[in-house]
Amino acid sequence: MKAKEKKKSGAILAVSAGIFVIALSISSFFLLQIIGRMNQSANQNLLTSSRVISEGLNNKITLDRELLSALTELLALEENGVIEETLREYADSTDFFRFAYIDMEGEGVDSEGNAVYASDLPFDEIALSKGTDGMSAPYHGASGRIHITYQSPVFREGKQIGAVYADRIIDDYNLPTLFTFHNGAGSAYVVDGNGDFIIKSRGTASETDVYSYLAKQKNGAAIQDTLRRVIQEGKSGTLVVTNEAQPSLLGFLPVESPQGCYLITVVPRAVLQQEAKPIIIMLCTMFALLLLGGLSVATLFAGRQSMKADVRQKEYREKLFGNLSANIDFAFLLYTPAGHKVELVSDNLSGLLGITPEQAQEKPERIFDASGLPQGDADRSSFFNGTLKEQTTRESMVGVGPNEVKRWIAVHLIPADYGQYLAVFHETTEEHNMREQLADALTQAQNSNRARSAFFSSMSHDIRTPMNGIVGMTNIALNNLDDREKVESCLNKITGASGHLLELINEVLDMSRIESGRISLKEETVHLPSLIANLLSFLKPDMDKKNQSLLMKSQILEHDTVISDGLHLQKILLNLLSNAAKYTQAGGDISLQITETPVDAETIRMSFVVEDNGIGMSPAFLKRIFKPFERAEDSRMSQITGTGLGLAITKSIVDMMGGDIRVQSREYEGSCFTVDIPLKLPAQQAREYPDLAGYTALIVDDDQDACESISLILQETGIRANWVTNGPEAVEQLWNAHVRKDDYYVVILDWKMPEMDGLETARQIRKRLGSEVPILLLSAYDWESVKDEAVRAGINGFLTKPIFKSGLLEKLRYYIRGEKSKTEALGTEQSLSLEGVRILAAEDNELNREIIIELLESSGALVDSARNGQQALDRYLNSSPGHYQLILMDVHMPEMDGLEATRAIRGSGRPDAATIPVIAMTADVFKEDIRKCKDAGMNAHIGKPLEIDKLYATLRRFLNNDQEKAGM
Ligand code: ADP
């Protein structure tokens, strides 16, 4: 762009220069012509002046001639005696200094009275001898000066009587009026054919001839020769000479008389060109001005072109930069180190680095400061002092402060043309992070691979160990069939080993499902109190074995029913709590705290905190705790079986639920896992709570927070609630109320309290106040173990921690007002009895069929079995409606599978076809399999191999309340 414009302005300059050279030549030509004409006119001028002088001289000579002629006529008339007198008179009254008369004899007299003889005359005599008049050639007279003599014959009556002569000093003709011209600047001389001066002029006094005069005036021989030649040739004209040290013009003109003489005129050229000079100067000045003007215009025009080009280029560049910066994330700085000048700054700089273009213009170093490139950096310095030789790229981090966002900025420093430097800035945080992530991913992949190999090697060990146990114990049992105790011990060990094996397999399967993305979450109604009770029923035995205490720290929870995936939610808590139990020494403390925070009208956030004072973990291990197959490498771990998958599974489930899991731990001190999960609330949340306004309640708990939260809930429903934090105070408070005849309607009493526990307090209360006031015992979970003792101490009912608002109020309604709710009627106090329950069990595997029959019948159930789906269907159809209370159905069976059989049962049209619970028993534990079961009309699903606890829990759900349809 720039080169093109430069070319254009260069071309303009060249064309302009061409035009002006032509104009100059033409003007010079005309100028020379003018000067030539002027010179010519000067020559003419000089010649004209010369002619005037010559004419003047001629006139003088003519006048003198006429004077002589008049004298001759006078002398012709006069007598001889008076001639002398007449001559004298004439000499006195004219410019002639002497007159003479000579008669025909050659003798005469002059005006001074001297005798004159024709033979003595110093010039060529013609008047006497030839009878003609004329003028002599100049000659050196007796006065030492040059004379001329006019001569004329004297005729009397037609006959010559003599001749008269008039002598004159020729130089007398040198009259200033005649021989000077141009206001005295020009001089005139008369020279003879040899160049000798006849009539002199100024400055010629010492020179006798014109040539030596010219030589003296420093004119070369060439000029003298030229003059000599032209005089000889009788020409007239002008010559350029030097006179009185100035260039002059010399005119030469032959005069009429004296014959053969030349009139020489000299005048300085300056004088001649006096009028022409201002014209020439004017012309030259005009021409010079014209030239100057033209050149200026051309330069201006070319400059304008180049300026226009520069402006256009700058505009183009700015536009280009503007467009570029608007469309890309790169910011630019164009800088000229030579002038410390910022040429261009892109507008997006402020967005990228927070430096406005004005700030950048003022101090470009700021941009580099903001980009994180430090002041001492060599490349930065060479950018600013113009020594950067080649392109270079630097990347720096900005935002190092504690509250600042860390960002990476790359700057490319590029030496550009015209001594300018370009700096291009852009953010590379994403690339940088990606690079780091890739590196991390690589390390992770390597670690994961390592962990996987370690896992497989430990898996083979982990599988072999229980298998060995099972095989070994089976052999021992077989060999000791008669020893009942030994067999029982062997069977117990086999149960333990197979339980572990099952857990291992389940977790590997879970993990593989999660890793392959085949797991998806259900949205079902989850009853949290049941979930927690279920959970604790699994965990309690292990904790009891290790004599660990489980503390429920939760305050009252508002919502007891949420929408979630119950099984997976349970799995999360189960993993955390079972780990807490596993990795905490015997006698250790474990706590579970549940808190609920509202998110919006439909959602709450539940936080589950599982804390223990067990072996804890190292900070290094904490970093990889949620990775699959990772287990702490700790000598204390060698005794604890595990897969290293539980927490990876837990984290995956939490993530899928949109929650968050965190862990804090210190080696030898304990661990604390926190899980936050958003949970949806069921649509019909507006529950009706009993109206208990006006009743009073006393809360007794050493945990003040618990007291406050319970009393707050009670007060919301109108109950006047007071609280105390220990047993004696409670007894006191109750007694005082009794004395005031303002007995409390109910006492909520915590079981575990220091000094005086709940049971003891109850005893004291009963002792002082009798059995009137209902006392509810608040316990963590295992009140059943103290049920009898509690009842004996005077406890009327039990409340389990964590307390849910609905459960609490329903319990109170029952104990204050005697109204029993549905929940209360279905309380957990009820135990499962299969006594007399008819169950149809379909299972093709004989061993499994035997096990299930054995398990059910040992609980009192009446079991009919079927080998395949068809047989099961037939048995169902052949029985009377209501005969079977429940069907257990294997899925994979020959002839007709469980799904088809269930569909047939549901479609049989019998009165109990829709209601009879059909429970799947299958090793297919994947979600799709469960869904298929549900789609076929099955109510629930039990995984194989059968776990007695789970089997009973499921049966309990369906047999206790046929109407309640538990979700799958
Ligand atoms: P595992 O089957 O080994 O228990 P997890 O994934 O559940 O697998 O746990 C991974 C590892 O994390 C455990 O092997 C153990 O080293 C450590 N860990 C988990 N929970 C605790 C805890 N409460 N206290 C100490 N260490 C724990």
Side-chain angles (χ1 to χ4, degrees):
M1 183 82 187
K2 177 137 183 156
K4 204 173 159 191
E5 292 299 339
K6 286 221 149 178
K7 242 181 179 173
K8 205 169 163 186
S9 56
I12 289 169
L13 264 177
V15 170
S16 315
I19 291 170
F20 278 96
V21 166
I22 293 168
L24 186 70
S25 314
I26 294 171
S27 309
S28 308
F29 173 75
F30 282 126
L31 200 64
L32 287 175
Q33 285 290 314
I34 290 167
I35 292 171
R37 290 276 166 96
M38 285 188 167
N39 282 340
Q40 217 174 338
S41 133
N43 292 348
Q44 286 300 328
N45 202 348
L46 183 60
L47 280 179
T48 307
S49 297
S50 302
R51 276 195 194 99
V52 170
I53 295 167
S54 161
E55 211 49 47
L57 183 63
N58 239 7
N59 282 346
K60 288 249 173 228
I61 288 168
T62 307
L63 278 176
D64 282 351
R65 274 190 161 179
E66 281 172 3
L67 187 109
L68 198 63
S69 161
L71 183 61
T72 51
E73 278 173 23
L74 188 66
L75 288 177
L77 296 176
E78 279 188 350
E79 291 299 318
N80 281 348
V82 291
I83 285 177
E84 192 185 325
E85 183 71 13
T86 307
L87 292 177
R88 196 163 44 246
E89 276 172 21
Y90 260 76
D92 290 345
S93 59
T94 64
D95 292 334
F96 292 96
F97 68 90
R98 191 173 65 154
F99 287 93
Y101 178 78
I102 296 175
D103 59 21
M104 293 305 289
E105 274 81 42
E107 292 173 4
V109 65
D110 66 10
S111 51
E112 291 161 2
N114 299 320
V116 182
Y117 302 97
S119 55
D120 294 342
L121 290 173
F123 50 85
D124 287 345
E125 203 287 329
I126 55 167
L128 203 62
S129 54
K130 292 179 185 166
T132 56
D133 59 0
M135 189 209 279
S136 73
Y139 61 93
H140 286 275
S143 63
R145 299 174 69 183
I146 296 171
H147 296 176
I148 51 164
T149 302
Y150 290 83
Q151 47 189 313
S152 181
V154 181
F155 290 95
R156 190 180 286 162
E157 295 164 2
K159 190 180 171 227
Q160 184 174 4
I161 57 167
V164 66
Y165 303 91
D167 297 335
R168 237 193 122 126
I169 294 167
I170 194 159
D171 210 26
D172 287 349
Y173 283 118
N174 182 11
L175 297 171
T177 46
L178 192 59
F179 273 75
T180 55
F181 55 100
H182 280 298
N183 294 328
S187 320
Y189 328 100
V190 178
V191 293
D192 62 12
N194 298 324
D196 291 340
F197 288 117
I198 302 296
I199 300 173
K200 285 196 173 185
S201 187
R202 283 168 303 166
T204 54
S206 59
E207 304 305 324
T208 55
D209 66 305
V210 70
Y211 304 116
S212 57
Y213 173 74
L214 284 176
K216 197 174 179 193
Q217 292 298 325
K218 302 212 169 92
N219 290 289
I223 289 180
Q224 297 165 39
D225 289 346
T226 310
L227 187 63
R228 202 169 275 127
R229 199 178 63 243
V230 292
I231 287 179
Q232 271 167 15
E233 288 169 3
K235 288 181 176 170
S236 62
T238 55
L239 273 177
V240 178
V241 296
T242 307
N243 188 38
E244 290 173 354
Q246 50 183 328
S248 306
L249 211 56
L250 179 143
F252 49 93
L253 183 75
V255 289
E256 263 178 47
S257 46
Q259 241 185 352
C261 288
Y262 257 81
L263 177 68
I264 301 291
T265 42
V266 181
V267 68
R269 282 182 84 168
V271 174
L272 280 179
Q273 291 174 345
Q274 220 162 23
E275 286 148 23
K277 203 173 167 187
I279 297 172
I280 291 171
I281 289 170
M282 251 162 60
L283 274 174
C284 285
T285 315
M286 209 174 79
F287 175 70
L289 283 175
L290 202 72
L291 188 69
L292 204 74
L295 274 175
S296 311
V297 167
T299 318
L300 213 73
F301 189 61
R304 245 180 80 86
Q305 278 297 322
S306 144
M307 220 163 81
K308 248 161 97 184
D310 278 354
V311 168
R312 266 208 304 273
Q313 200 178 8
K314 204 171 167 200
E315 278 173 2
Y316 168 77
R317 230 165 33 188
E318 277 174 5
K319 211 165 151 188
L320 183 75
F321 268 49
N323 277 345
L324 266 175
S325 59
N327 293 306
I328 58 173
D329 298 331
F330 290 73
F332 305 92
L333 162 73
L334 190 62
Y335 182 74
T336 308
H340 301 293
K341 192 173 166 224
V342 173
E343 305 285 351
L344 253 174
V345 186
S346 64
D347 292 340
N348 58 355
L349 198 71
S350 48
L352 183 69
L353 298 173
I355 303 286
T356 61
E358 294 74 35
Q359 290 174 325
Q361 286 280 357
E362 197 186 307
K363 202 168 177 226
E365 287 84 357
R366 279 189 190 162
I367 310 174
F368 285 78
D369 293 342
S371 78
L373 200 62
Q375 263 186 14
D377 184 86
D379 289 338
R380 172 178 162 158
S381 307
S382 52
F383 177 87
F384 278 111
N385 59 30
T387 53
L388 188 72
K389 289 283 168 278
E390 53 187 33
Q391 179 171 347
T392 158
T393 301
R394 310 297 311 270
E395 194 181 37
S396 339
M397 195 178 79
V398 291
V400 284
N403 297 324
E404 289 177 281
V405 180
K406 286 188 181 31
R407 295 163 71 220
W408 286 89
I409 305 288
V411 50
H412 308 273
L413 303 173
I414 307 161
D417 296 335
Y418 310 113
Q420 295 178 336
Y421 284 78
L422 184 66
V424 183
F425 302 85
H426 69 113
E427 182 164 352
T428 53
T429 313
E430 248 175 55
E431 288 103 300
H432 197 91
N433 290 348
M434 205 181 285
R435 279 202 302 271
E436 278 189 351
Q437 275 168 14
L438 280 176
D440 278 358
L442 185 69
T443 329
Q444 259 178 33
Q446 285 164 346
N447 286 346
S448 159
N449 242 352
R450 245 198 315 277
R452 217 174 266 260
S453 326
F455 164 74
F456 281 120
S457 78
S458 71
M459 263 290 270
S460 65
H461 166 263
D462 284 3
I463 292 174
R464 273 167 200 282
T465 314
M467 279 308 289
N468 281 343
I470 293 168
V471 173
M473 285 299 144
T474 311
N475 284 335
I476 295 171
L478 283 174
N479 292 337
N480 296 283
L481 282 177
D482 295 335
D483 185 342
R484 191 187 156 86
E485 253 177 51
K486 196 147 201 167
V487 169
E488 204 175 313
S489 143
C490 286
L491 290 176
N492 281 340
K493 283 177 184 153
I494 289 169
T495 310
S498 34
H500 175 62
L501 204 55
L502 194 62
E503 184 199 2
L504 195 67
I505 291 165
N506 279 342
E507 289 202 334
V508 172
L509 288 176
D510 269 357
M511 196 62 224
S512 88
R513 272 188 297 157
I514 287 172
E515 283 206 327
S516 61
R518 277 185 290 138
I519 197 165
S520 62
L521 295 173
K522 283 189 279 185
E523 287 209 339
E524 59 190 358
T525 310
V526 178
H527 187 236
L528 290 171
S530 310
L531 184 138
I532 293 164
N534 221 10
L535 185 69
L536 296 180
S537 71
F538 295 145
L539 291 163
K540 194 64 185 75
D542 286 340
M543 290 185 181
D544 281 350
K545 250 189 249 164
K546 288 179 85 176
N547 198 20
Q548 290 163 330
S549 77
L550 175 63
L551 193 65
M552 287 288 182
K553 288 200 206 159
S554 315
Q555 299 181 349
I556 289 194
L557 296 166
E558 178 85 24
H559 297 97
D560 62 355
T561 312
V562 292
I563 305 287
S564 182
D565 184 318
L567 267 181
H568 283 110
L569 190 59
Q570 183 169 306
K571 177 112 192 146
I572 295 170
L573 297 175
L574 191 66
N575 277 345
L576 298 182
L577 283 164
S578 63
N579 274 353
K582 250 178 16 177
Y583 301 108
T584 299
Q585 65 288 354
D589 297 323
I590 296 159
S591 72
L592 169 66
Q593 183 175 16
I594 307 175
T595 30
E596 153 184 354
T597 32
V599 174
D600 54 44
E602 292 146 24
T603 326
I604 53 164
R605 196 166 181 88
M606 273 213 162
S607 150
F608 303 90
V609 182
V610 177
E611 200 170 353
D612 64 58
N613 60 353
I615 63 171
M617 288 165 276
S618 67
F621 178 70
L622 284 179
K623 285 190 186 142
R624 38 194 182 95
I625 184 168
F626 295 116
K627 292 192 180 135
F629 311 115
E630 294 284 358
R631 300 197 75 210
E633 285 150 15
D634 189 319
S635 58
R636 294 166 300 166
M637 297 276 301
S638 56
Q639 299 304 311
I640 310 167
T641 57
T643 57
L645 287 170
L647 285 179
I649 293 170
T650 305
K651 169 132 175 62
S652 303
I653 300 172
V654 172
D655 287 347
M656 276 193 291
M657 289 183 166
D660 172 39
I661 181 164
R662 300 181 295 280
V663 57
Q664 284 175 304
S665 183
R666 270 167 181 273
E667 262 181 307
Y668 305 100
E669 287 183 21
S671 313
C672 177
F673 287 84
T674 306
V675 173
D676 281 336
I677 301 176
L679 293 167
K680 285 237 167 69
L681 296 172
Q684 72 282 19
Q685 270 294 296
R687 291 181 83 129
E688 271 198 21
Y689 293 112
D691 180 14
L692 299 169
Y695 294 103
T696 49
L698 181 69
I699 303 144
V700 191
D701 195 332
D702 57 321
D703 178 356
Q704 195 168 317
D705 288 347
C707 292
E708 280 174 354
S709 83
I710 297 172
S711 66
L712 201 73
I713 295 290
L714 297 187
Q715 277 159 6
E716 273 175 18
T717 55
I719 297 177
R720 277 191 291 125
N722 290 325
W723 53 267
V724 291
T725 52
N726 56 58
E729 245 182 87
V731 180
E732 194 60 33
Q733 183 85 279
L734 285 165
W735 177 249
N736 291 344
H738 181 68
V739 172
R740 289 197 312 267
K741 299 210 182 318
D742 185 21
D743 279 309
Y744 282 94
Y745 283 83
V746 70
V747 180
I748 297 170
L749 186 58
D750 188 29
W751 176 14
K752 303 268 162 114
M753 286 190 293
E755 292 171 33
M756 191 191 278
D757 70 5
L759 295 185
E760 183 52 32
T761 310
R763 273 185 215 110
Q764 297 286 333
I765 293 168
R766 294 299 177 219
K767 219 160 119 191
R768 304 242 345 235
L769 289 152
S771 58
E772 202 122 304
V773 59
I775 305 176
L776 294 178
L777 189 70
L778 193 54
S779 71
Y781 48 91
D782 51 351
W783 52 265
E784 268 178 283
S785 60
V786 288
K787 186 178 175 187
D788 293 344
E789 193 191 346
V791 170
R792 277 200 301 279
I795 300 292
N796 303 76
F798 298 89
L799 269 174
T800 325
K801 284 184 182 176
I803 309 170
F804 289 89
K805 184 178 175 183
S806 55
L808 170 70
L809 295 179
E810 271 169 12
K811 276 262 157 82
L812 290 183
R813 173 163 68 174
Y814 175 71
Y815 285 101
I816 294 174
R817 305 209 337 200
E819 293 167 14
K820 199 164 183 167
S821 73
K822 188 173 135 198
T823 325
E824 185 60 24
L826 294 169
T828 46
E829 294 102 298
Q830 294 205 11
S831 57
L832 178 74
S833 165
L834 295 179
E835 208 56 57
V837 177
R838 279 208 168 73
I839 295 174
L840 173 61
E843 166 67 67
D844 62 330
N845 182 292
E846 202 175 331
L847 186 69
N848 284 348
R849 200 166 60 238
E850 211 179 308
I851 292 170
I852 186 80
I853 293 171
E854 180 59 37
L855 285 174
L856 294 173
E857 285 184 346
S858 66
S859 302
L862 304 168
V863 186
D864 282 342
S865 65
R867 284 194 181 80
N868 56 49
Q870 186 59 56
Q871 223 174 53
L873 178 64
D874 293 344
R875 280 188 193 271
Y876 168 72
L877 293 175
N878 293 333
S879 66
S880 53
H883 175 78
Y884 294 116
Q885 274 141 289
L886 190 137
I887 301 174
L888 285 171
M889 182 79 79
D890 185 14
V891 174
H892 294 284
M893 287 186 291
E895 280 189 50
M896 183 188 279
D897 67 18
L899 301 176
E900 210 181 324
T902 309
R903 275 193 285 272
I905 291 168
R906 295 287 183 221
S908 65
R910 285 161 50 99
D912 63 349
T915 52
I916 184 164
V918 181
I919 294 165
M921 293 186 298
T922 171
D924 297 336
V925 288
F926 296 136
K927 196 182 154 208
E928 309 78 67
D929 305 316
I930 298 172
R931 180 161 299 283
K932 274 187 207 157
C933 294
K934 197 181 175 190
D935 291 347
M938 293 180 170
N939 300 80
H941 171 279
I942 307 172
K944 280 206 282 193
L946 290 179
E947 285 177 78
I948 298 173
D949 286 347
K950 279 191 185 160
L951 174 69
Y952 284 167
T954 312
L955 292 181
R956 187 183 293 132
R957 257 162 64 200
F958 289 95
L959 294 174
N960 277 343
N961 178 19
D962 288 354
Q963 281 74 29
E964 189 182 359
K965 293 285 169 281
M968 302 269 300

